[in-house]
């Protein structure tokens, strides 16, 4: 399978830092960076293919299209069957965490900043372990 990682955040410094962490963790050699949910949605829809799996590291609070709006939008598209979302946010609000769990595409909820250890755990989790077994990463 072909895994593509998207990092979605409106803060350029966070994007830069998270890109380095994703690359160093081995989750992806070349993650795609998006400044908001609309950019991410447009990218997913333009790159969709039956063999492609997407892991989206998604911020909640962004302009143009926030994380919740992104989650609502992907549910309307066939690509949603192959998207695994990890909420990556500075929000420590329990309501946000509960809301995230109500979305079927949300695999995990992490607080910023992500670390190598967090990403290594994510990579070795059962879900991503299946994605990486025998397929390598992109």
């Amino acid at each position: 399978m072909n895994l593509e990682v998207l990092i979605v955040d409106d803060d350029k410094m966070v994007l830069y830092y998270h890109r380095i962490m994703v690359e160093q963790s081995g989750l992806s050699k070349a993650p795609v960076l998006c400044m908001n949910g609309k950019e991410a949605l447009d990218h997913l829809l333009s790159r969709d293919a039956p063999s492609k799996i997407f892991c989206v590291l998604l911020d909640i609070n962004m302009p143009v299209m926030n994380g919740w709006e992104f989650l609502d939008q992907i549910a309307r598209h066939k690509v949603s069957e192959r998207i695994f979302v990890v909420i990556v946010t500075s929000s420590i609000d329990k309501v946000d965490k509960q809301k995230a769990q109500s979305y079927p595409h949300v695999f995990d909820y992490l607080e910023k900043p992500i670390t190598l250890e967090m990403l290594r755990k994510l990579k070795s989790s059962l879900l991503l372990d299946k994605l990486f077994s025998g397929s390598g990463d992109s």
Side-chain angles (χ1 to χ4, degrees), residues 6-135:
L6 281 77
I7 305 170
V8 187
D9 200 296
D10 60 321
D11 184 322
K12 289 182 181 181
M13 291 304 294
V14 170
L15 283 174
Y16 175 77
Y17 174 75
H18 286 177
R19 179 183 57 83
I20 290 170
M21 292 294 102
V22 166
E23 290 171 353
Q24 288 183 357
S25 73
L27 186 61
S28 174
K29 294 175 186 168
V32 175
L33 308 180
C34 300
M35 294 289 293
N36 59 63
K38 173 110 174 66
E39 280 184 24
L41 181 64
D42 291 346
H43 178 83
L44 290 169
L45 296 178
S46 70
R47 299 280 306 213
D48 188 23
S51 64
K52 191 163 276 242
I53 304 263
F54 298 97
C55 178
V56 181
L57 304 179
L58 181 67
D59 187 24
I60 295 173
N61 298 311
M62 299 175 286
V64 183
M65 180 186 285
N66 67 36
W68 305 125
E69 293 166 328
F70 171 83
L71 288 167
D72 290 338
Q73 287 296 315
I74 63 167
R76 299 177 182 171
H77 299 281
K78 190 169 178 81
V79 69
S80 69
E81 299 167 4
R82 296 178 318 284
I83 294 177
F84 302 95
V85 176
V86 177
I87 301 292
V88 181
T89 182
S90 54
S91 173
I92 57 171
D93 189 340
K94 289 181 182 181
V95 173
D96 284 340
K97 192 168 189 172
Q98 290 171 338
K99 184 174 181 177
Q101 292 171 345
S102 73
Y103 286 92
H105 304 98
V106 174
F107 177 70
D108 205 351
Y109 187 98
L110 303 174
E111 292 177 20
K112 288 181 188 175
I114 55 174
T115 63
L116 283 175
E117 182 63 25
M118 290 168 139
L119 291 171
R120 287 180 180 138
K121 284 181 182 178
L122 179 64
K123 184 179 175 184
S124 66
S125 69
L126 289 176
L127 178 64
L128 290 180
D129 191 36
K130 289 179 183 176
L131 295 177
F132 282 100
S133 63
S135 65

